[in-house]
Amino acid sequence: AQSVTQPDIHITVSEGASLELRCNYSYGATPYLFWYVQSPGQGLQLLLKYFSGDTLVQGIKGFEAEFKRSQSSFNLRKPSVHWSDAAEYFCARYNFNKFYFGSGTKLNVKP
Amino acid sequence: DAGVIQSPRHEVTEMGQEVTLRCKPISGHDYLFWYRQTMMRGLELLIYFNNNVPIDDSGMPEDRFSAKMPNASFSTLKIQPSEPRDSAVYFCASRRGDTNTGELFFGEGSRLTVL
């Protein structure tokens, strides 16, 4: 079955520190992968997406993600976290009109 | 563009009552999705429509749940009768149909509490 795994439920980083959120996917050839962010009480907003081509993709708010086929991973990174980045982050895979979401990673940012 | 619009944002009701959640997708989007989000189960796809036709409703929990899309700009998700375990945030999302890789645009959700 198709699945997306986010192994970290909660992560806490200090403001200004770097961030990496992990995402692993299973099944299939070239996946269509996404990262979404959800602020409290809000819907999900797209951060970035990967379809093909350059394996390092840039997104909004200074985020980037790298697709690594050999590791079946699509990790999200940011070099310097801001307090406003505190939110929940979802990795998703798209296939045949369906989006399969990971369970999410909640990011806390310490002052 | 106004984005995906959902109403109500919050609904508190008593067990056994009928609940209707509403969604207006982004104009020009051919696909509409209903998701449910809970702490225990995360984001679950309930049903999706293409050009107002239900394509896959395999995620609908049971017969108490029904969804309609009478036209391209409006969809409803109805729960009758509601139960406490239906308490969740229900999201509507839409996307364009002219690409196989189109992103989903989410509404802000309807938070349902069934007492």
Side-chain angles (χ1 to χ4, degrees):
Chain A
Q2 303 196 47
S3 71
V4 174
T5 304
Q6 295 180 246
D8 304 306
I9 299 174
H10 288 99
I11 282 186
T12 298
V13 299
S14 297
E15 191 168 15
S18 64
L19 171 71
E20 182 168 26
L21 302 182
R22 296 183 291 166
C23 172
N24 294 97
Y25 66 91
S26 64
Y27 182 81
T30 301
Y32 299 140
L33 297 166
F34 301 77
W35 274 100
Y36 281 84
V37 60
Q38 184 181 27
S39 298
Q42 302 295 313
L44 280 71
Q45 180 187 18
L46 181 70
L47 282 176
L48 47 79
K49 56 189 175 184
Y50 171 78
F51 299 150
S52 64
D54 194 347
T55 57
L56 185 64
V57 293
Q58 302 297 321
I60 63 172
K61 305 184 181 186
F63 285 91
E64 66 178 26
E66 186 170 13
F67 171 67
K68 292 185 177 180
R69 184 185 300 278
S70 61
Q71 299 177 18
S72 297
S73 69
F74 187 57
N75 294 348
L76 182 70
R77 301 194 295 245
K78 187 170 185 178
S80 177
V81 169
H82 188 263
W83 63 267
S84 60
D85 294 324
E88 189 160 16
Y89 292 79
F90 293 89
C91 183
R93 177 184 182 147
Y94 170 81
N95 194 34
F96 295 118
N97 291 322
K98 289 187 177 183
F99 282 74
Y100 300 87
F101 286 89
S103 54
T105 298
K106 284 190 177 176
L107 173 65
N108 294 321
V109 180
K110 291 191 302 184
Chain B
D1 204 329
V4 177
I5 299 173
Q6 292 187 245
S7 65
R9 289 295 312 278
H10 301 275
E11 174 95 8
V12 180
T13 190
E14 294 190 345
M15 184 174 63
Q17 296 298 305
E18 178 179 294
V19 173
T20 300
L21 307 178
R22 298 172 178 81
C23 175
K24 176 179 168 55
I26 293 173
S27 177
H29 282 194
D30 300 326
Y31 286 84
L32 183 141
F33 300 77
W34 283 101
Y35 282 87
R36 178 171 68 177
Q37 185 179 39
T38 61
M39 291 288 291
M40 293 298 297
R41 300 174 70 91
L43 272 163
E44 302 173 274
L45 176 64
L46 300 178
I47 185 171
Y48 80 91
F49 296 82
N50 178 215
N51 292 323
N52 313 337
V53 176
I55 303 300
D56 186 341
D57 64 355
S58 60
M60 295 286 262
E62 48 199 274
D63 292 345
R64 297 185 297 106
F65 285 70
S66 62
K68 294 182 180 179
M69 192 164 186
N71 58 62
S73 58
F74 184 66
S75 176
T76 59
L77 178 68
K78 186 174 293 187
I79 308 172
Q80 166 63 18
S82 58
E83 296 182 2
R85 61 192 167 122
D86 302 330
S87 298
V89 181
Y90 291 82
F91 287 102
C92 177
S94 69
R95 74 168 183 88
R96 291 169 51 187
D98 58 352
T99 170
N100 287 328
T101 57
E103 68 178 90
L104 276 180
F105 292 82
F106 282 81
E108 294 191 322
S110 294
R111 180 175 294 277
L112 173 64
T113 303
V114 184
L115 303 174

